[in-house]
């Protein structure tokens, strides 16, 4: 096995030819200096004439430029070299010393010069020599022979070729060196650890980042681990050839832990097999992923399992083929707690409920918060009896006295249970448990209900009812009937109350009591109410055109009034139909007082001139302060009072009080449910102005009103 060695990246990435290149550079420099000195001496001792002295003085100038400015070159020095080479041809007995000088300066320039210094600044010396040699041949009586030309040309050609080759070699070496330094800087600055392993898994090269990430000791590098063992090159699970990185846990020197993404790529060499390993610290990313996973799996407020994760757990339990009990728990009266105590108290209430549910189920089941005040419990292996016991334990735990809201209270809840059957899916099980829970709610809450098939049938029927009602609202199945409102003094009809009916295919004509609640639940009450309002106003105008002056009363729900679009819709209907506002009466119940938005809407309606009637007075939460603060134009006496007029004197006294109170407040009274003449006579004598009931006419289609007496226009 090769001895593990720490190889510094700078040395490891150095090309083998760098040392040789440095040696060539030193030898060339020494040769150039020696050639320069020898050339000076040859000019002094072998040259002829006084020009030799000048030329011998110029050569040291060139040498001095090498010394003083080794990495810079000027055209002045190049011209001096050309002058020396030109003159030396005439003063020396043969050209060899000149060629030696040319070789020295040109090779040195090729070795040290850049594209500006070489070859352009080598031209003056070569031209000086060639021109000098040409002049010398002209003025000297010497025969120009082939050997003479070869003796001059070949050295020059060799000089040109050699220096060009040397320059390209040096330039390439410098490019390699620049690239090496760039790679070295990138490797050193990289946040990724890099390791080169030999066939035995021993690190041959590595950067300092790899040492830090892999927690290698300061002495020698260790092994590169993988999730399956201490050596990634010996992993039998494919870590060395995996396309994606593998994650490896590491323990740092300070005792903390981290996660590395390690990727090993085999590299085949001629002599042996190597592996390049990259290591990246992904600890922060893993922390973020874990935090996101926790947020996805856990409810942020209560710490219980979240809805998505809980449904995944139900899927897994059902896939395992065992019996699964599912409980859906909804807190009773939570909205009142939230509204009365505030959202912070509501959150505390939910957290307290979650803690008690979790404590009640223990380790045998998983509790979750599905949303709002709805919780769920997954109980694998629980049949009907086990699930019922678990539900009882949960309700008992929730019912323990709870303090923290400034007073003692208990948490009440309704629980629905569904137990899996063969082939049941998560959605089916959750739907069944939810259905059972709503059944418990409808029965008064604070109880447990087990899902039964007939519950599902009722739910399906309810869903069909909702779909059919939507069709009825938008496809014209709603029919308006009108019941007369008569003046008790004259028995003439002064107005009519519009009452909606549903002509449901296959069911006949349905009264409002069979679908208004469903309309409220689904939100269809708003479009339904708008259609009734528009139809009633149109009918009032048709009667007006027929010469019958009848006011129109229309029931409006609290939800309609609280909608921002109600007032514009009302204004549009009045303008479209042309009905005077004072001929329209909006009828509301006492529940409007509990809704601030609806009350504001009602006051805005009254400012338009439309009259307002208070329906079923005395049967809800009547308040004299409300009556005084928000005056009504009409107060309607509920039929539960008028129907009992002959039974007790107390009822008669209450009705007298209502009539007198309305008179004090400046409102008219309308008595509902009048079926006998005795009732009508009593109410007229008591001061009641108007009445409606079967005695005067049942709700009917407008075309059947031909015989109905009415007040003169």
């Amino acid at each position: 096995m090769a001895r593990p060695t720490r190889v510094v990246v700078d040395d490891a990435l150095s090309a083998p030819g760098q040392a040789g290149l440095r040696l060539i550079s030193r030898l060339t420099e020494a040769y150039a200096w020696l050639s320069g000195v020898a050339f000076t001496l040859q000019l002094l001792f072998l040259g002829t004439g006084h020009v030799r002295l000048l030329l011998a003085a110029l050569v040291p100038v060139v040498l001095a430029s090498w010394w003083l400015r080794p990495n810079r070159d000027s055209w002045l020095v190049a011209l001096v070299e050309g002058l020396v080479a030109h003159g030396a041809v005439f003063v020396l007995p043969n050209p060899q010393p000149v060629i030696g000088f040319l070789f020295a300066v040109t090779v040195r320039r090729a070795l040290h010069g850049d594209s500006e210094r070489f070859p352009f600044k080598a031209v003056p010396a070569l031209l000086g020599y060639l021109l000098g040699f040409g002049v010398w041949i002209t003025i000297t009586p010497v025969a120009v022979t082939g050997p003479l030309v070869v003796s001059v040309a070949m050295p020059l050609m060799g000089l040109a070729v050699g220096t060009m080759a040397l320059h390209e070699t040096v330039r390439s070496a410098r490019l390699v060196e620049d690239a090496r330094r760039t790679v070295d800087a990138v490797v050193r600055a990289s946040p990724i650890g890099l390791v080169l392993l030999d066939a035995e898994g021993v690190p041959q090269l590595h950067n300092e980042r790899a040492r830090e990430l892999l927690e290698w000791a300061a002495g020698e590098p260790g092994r590169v681990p993988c999730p399956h063992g201490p050596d990634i090159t010996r992993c039998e699970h494919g870590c060395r050839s995996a396309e994606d990185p593998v994650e490896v846990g590491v323990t740092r020197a300070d005792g903390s832990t981290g996660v590395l993404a390690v990727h090993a790529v085999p590299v085949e060499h001629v002599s042996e097999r190597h592996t390049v390993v990259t290591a990246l610290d992904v600890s922060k990313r893993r922390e973020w992923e874990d935090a996101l996973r926790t947020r996805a799996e856990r409810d942020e407020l209560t710490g219980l399992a979240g809805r998505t994760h809980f449904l995944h757990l139900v899927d897994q339990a059902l896939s395992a083929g065992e019996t699964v009990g599912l409980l859906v728990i909804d807190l009773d009266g939570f909205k009142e707690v939230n509204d009365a105590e505030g959202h912070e108290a509501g959150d505390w209430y939910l957290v307290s409920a979650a803690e008690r549910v979790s404590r009640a189920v223990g380790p045998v089941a998983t509790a979750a918060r599905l949303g709002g005040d709805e919780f769920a419990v997954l109980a694998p292996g629980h049949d009907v009896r086990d699930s019922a016991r678990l539900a009882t334990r949960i309700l008992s735990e929730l019912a323990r006295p709870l303090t923290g809201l400034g007073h003692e209270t208990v948490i009440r809840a309704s629980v629905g249970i569904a137990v899996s059957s063969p082939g049941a899916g998560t959605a089916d099980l959750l739907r069944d448990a939810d259905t059972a829970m709503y059944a418990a709610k409808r029965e008064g809450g604070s109880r447990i209900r087990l899902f039964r098939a007939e519950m599902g049938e009722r739910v399906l029927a309810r869903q069909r009812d909702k779909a059919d009602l939507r069709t009825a609202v938008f496809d014209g199945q709603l029919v308006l009937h009108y019941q007369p409102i008569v003046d008790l003094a004259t028995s003439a009809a002064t107005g009519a109350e519009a009452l909606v009916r549903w002509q449901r295919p296959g069911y006949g004509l349905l009264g409002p009591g069979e679908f208004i609640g469903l309309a409220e639940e689904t939100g269809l009450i708003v479009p339904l109410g708008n259609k009734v309002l528009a139809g009633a106003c149109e009918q009032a105008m048709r009667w007006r055109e027929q010469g019958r002056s009848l006011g129109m009363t229309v029931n409006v729900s609290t939800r309609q009034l609280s909608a921002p679009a109600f007032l514009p819709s009302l204004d549009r209907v009045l303008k479209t139909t042309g009905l005077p506002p004072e001929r329209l009466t909006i009828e509301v119940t006492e529940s409007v007082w509990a809704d601030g938005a609806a009350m504001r809407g009602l006051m805005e309606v009254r400012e338009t001139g439309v009259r307002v009637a208070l329906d079923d007075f005395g049967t809800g939460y009547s308040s004299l302060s409300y009556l005084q603060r928000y005056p009504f134009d009409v107060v309607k006496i509920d039929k539960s009072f008028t129907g009992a007029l002959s039974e007790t004197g107390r009822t008669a006294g209450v009705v007298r009080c209502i009539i007198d109170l309305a008179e004090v407040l400046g409102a008219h009274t309308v008595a509902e449910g009048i079926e006998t003449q005795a009732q009508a006579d009593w109410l007229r004598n008591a001061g009641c102005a108007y009445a409606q009931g079967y005695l005067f006419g049942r709700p009917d289609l407008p075309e059947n009103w031909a015989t109905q007496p009415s007040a003169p226009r």
Side-chain angles (χ1 to χ4, degrees):
M1 180 183 294
R3 179 177 180 273
T5 56
R6 177 177 181 269
V7 182
V8 179
V9 174
D10 186 53
D11 294 337
L13 294 177
S14 296
Q18 290 297 318
L21 187 62
R22 284 194 292 270
L23 177 60
I24 292 173
S25 178
R26 294 191 187 101
L27 292 175
T28 302
E29 192 77 29
Y31 168 76
W33 279 93
L34 288 174
S35 295
V37 172
F39 187 53
T40 303
L41 294 176
Q42 287 174 319
L43 287 171
L44 289 173
F45 297 106
L46 299 179
T48 59
H50 296 291
V51 177
R52 64 183 173 77
L53 298 176
L54 175 61
L55 297 176
L58 290 176
V59 174
V61 173
V62 175
L63 299 180
S65 71
W66 295 354
W67 176 266
L68 297 175
R69 306 176 72 180
N71 294 320
R72 298 188 63 184
D73 198 2
S74 69
W75 280 103
L76 179 60
V77 173
L79 293 175
V80 170
E81 293 172 355
L83 180 62
V84 170
H86 181 78
V89 173
F90 298 100
V91 301
L92 290 174
N94 56 69
Q96 278 72 22
V98 183
I99 293 175
F101 174 70
L102 291 176
F103 187 82
V105 298
T106 306
V107 171
R108 185 181 184 278
R109 185 173 279 117
L111 187 67
H112 294 283
D114 53 22
S115 59
E116 181 184 352
R117 296 174 64 180
F118 182 87
F120 300 109
K121 289 183 179 177
V123 171
L126 295 175
L127 286 178
Y129 172 73
L130 291 173
L131 290 173
F133 185 74
V135 173
W136 179 76
I137 290 176
T138 303
I139 65 176
T140 303
V142 62
V144 179
T145 62
L148 178 62
V149 173
V150 170
S151 66
V152 173
M154 291 305 292
L156 291 179
M157 291 178 62
L159 174 62
V161 173
T163 52
M164 288 295 293
L166 179 62
H167 178 71
E168 287 300 315
T169 301
V170 171
R171 191 174 69 86
S172 299
R174 284 175 176 165
L175 290 175
V176 171
E177 177 66 13
D178 290 343
R180 181 194 65 78
R181 289 178 177 174
T182 301
V183 172
D184 180 33
V186 171
V187 169
R188 287 183 178 278
S190 174
I192 300 175
L194 299 172
V195 184
L196 178 65
L197 302 176
D198 63 14
E200 300 296 326
V202 178
Q204 298 300 303
L205 307 175
H206 68 274
N207 61 359
E208 287 299 320
R209 183 56 175 164
R211 174 179 292 280
E212 295 172 3
L213 293 177
L214 295 167
E215 294 290 328
W216 285 340
E220 296 181 342
R223 297 279 179 164
V224 177
C226 71
H228 314 101
D231 189 348
I232 198 169
T233 61
R234 300 179 184 277
C235 179
E236 298 179 354
H237 298 275
C239 286
R240 184 174 176 271
S241 59
E243 294 183 359
D244 298 320
V246 295
E247 293 190 350
V248 182
V250 294
T251 302
R252 303 187 181 97
D254 59 1
S256 63
T257 59
V259 180
L260 301 182
V262 178
H263 195 194
V265 181
V267 179
E268 299 295 336
H269 284 260
V270 175
S271 57
E272 60 178 325
R273 185 184 68 175
H274 285 73
T275 302
V276 175
V277 177
T278 62
L280 178 66
D281 189 351
V282 294
S283 303
K284 288 293 183 185
R285 189 195 73 189
R286 174 59 70 84
E287 290 178 7
W288 294 335
E289 289 175 350
D290 290 345
L292 289 174
R293 188 178 299 108
T294 298
R295 291 188 65 178
E297 293 180 354
R298 294 287 163 185
D299 176 62
E300 192 170 357
L301 176 65
T302 63
L304 299 181
R307 182 184 185 90
T308 302
H309 181 55
F310 179 77
L311 296 180
H312 176 66
L313 295 178
V314 176
D315 280 337
Q316 288 183 325
L318 292 175
S319 299
E322 60 182 329
T323 301
V324 173
L326 183 64
L327 285 63
V328 172
I329 307 159
D330 192 84
L331 305 185
D332 297 333
F334 173 72
K335 185 178 184 302
E336 287 73 13
V337 173
N338 218 27
D339 293 344
E341 308 288 348
H343 290 293
E344 289 186 6
D347 287 347
W348 176 83
Y349 193 82
L350 289 174
V351 171
S352 300
E355 291 173 350
R356 296 189 174 198
V357 171
S358 183
R359 187 161 51 245
V361 302
V364 301
T366 301
R369 181 185 177 210
L370 300 182
D373 62 337
E374 190 172 65
F375 298 85
V377 173
L378 170 64
H382 282 51
D383 58 15
V384 172
R385 181 175 297 179
D386 295 333
S387 299
R389 289 197 188 105
L390 183 59
T392 301
R393 192 158 65 245
I394 291 171
L395 287 188
S396 298
E397 184 68 30
L398 288 173
R400 288 191 303 107
L402 179 69
T403 57
L405 297 177
H407 55 85
E408 187 175 280
T409 185
V410 295
I411 302 174
R412 303 188 183 279
S414 300
V415 182
I417 301 174
V419 177
S420 64
S421 57
T426 299
D428 300 325
L429 196 62
L430 183 62
R431 181 199 61 215
D432 293 348
D434 212 43
T435 299
M437 182 273 292
Y438 278 112
K441 283 276 190 188
R442 286 193 297 271
E443 294 175 17
S446 299
R447 64 194 67 208
I448 301 166
R449 285 294 174 264
L450 175 68
F451 175 77
R452 297 188 304 275
E454 54 267 28
M455 290 181 181
E457 293 170 1
R458 285 198 296 270
V459 169
L460 291 175
R462 190 73 169 172
Q463 291 174 344
R464 285 194 299 270
D465 290 345
K466 291 178 181 178
D468 289 352
L469 180 58
R470 181 174 298 276
T471 301
V473 171
F474 296 103
D475 287 359
Q477 295 177 11
L478 299 179
V479 180
L480 289 183
H481 285 197
Y482 301 89
Q483 185 174 32
I485 300 174
V486 301
D487 185 337
L488 284 174
T490 64
S491 296
T494 59
E497 180 178 357
L499 299 170
V500 65
R501 303 289 188 265
W502 178 9
Q503 189 68 54
R504 187 178 184 184
Y507 291 84
L509 194 65
L510 304 181
E514 298 186 58
F515 61 89
I516 289 298
L518 186 62
E520 291 276 5
E521 179 184 331
T522 58
L524 289 171
I525 190 66
V526 174
L528 185 153
N530 290 339
K531 284 184 175 293
V532 170
L533 179 63
C537 291
E538 290 171 0
Q539 182 58 48
M541 284 304 297
R542 281 194 289 269
W543 279 331
R544 188 178 180 87
E545 292 167 359
Q546 295 170 6
R548 309 184 71 181
S549 181
L550 295 172
M552 182 60 69
T553 298
V554 180
N555 290 277
V556 175
S557 72
T558 300
R559 189 164 182 173
Q560 274 183 274
L561 280 172
S562 60
F566 178 73
L567 190 62
S569 176
L570 173 63
D571 184 62
R572 185 165 54 251
V573 167
L574 292 175
K575 288 181 179 179
T576 302
T577 61
L579 182 68
E582 64 273 10
R583 303 303 296 170
L584 176 64
T585 300
I586 295 297
E587 188 172 301
V588 298
T589 63
E590 293 173 357
S591 62
V592 73
W593 286 331
D595 191 316
M599 281 303 300
R600 288 191 295 272
L602 189 63
M603 293 301 100
E604 291 174 351
V605 167
R606 200 166 188 271
E607 290 175 2
T608 66
V610 173
R611 292 154 54 87
V612 177
L614 182 61
D615 193 19
D616 302 335
F617 181 77
T619 61
Y621 300 96
S622 302
S623 169
L624 295 180
S625 64
Y626 276 116
L627 282 173
Q628 185 177 10
R629 194 183 315 165
Y630 305 111
F632 289 83
D633 300 292
V634 178
V635 174
K636 301 191 78 172
I637 304 171
D638 187 68
K639 62 183 178 181
S640 62
F641 294 113
T642 57
L645 279 175
S646 60
E647 296 177 3
T648 64
R650 179 177 296 179
T651 301
V654 169
V655 173
R656 285 185 184 277
C657 287
I658 295 174
I659 295 171
D660 293 342
L661 177 62
E663 185 179 355
V664 170
L665 296 174
H668 298 296
T669 52
V670 177
E672 296 181 301
I674 308 304
E675 297 184 359
T676 66
Q677 189 61 48
Q679 292 171 341
D681 293 340
W682 189 95
L683 288 166
R684 183 175 58 255
N685 294 332
C688 181
Y690 302 95
Q692 65 183 101
Y694 289 173
L695 177 65
F696 309 108
R698 294 175 177 270
D700 205 344
L701 294 171
E703 53 265 29
N704 297 331
W705 271 56
T707 59
Q708 186 71 320
S710 62
R713 187 172 180 176

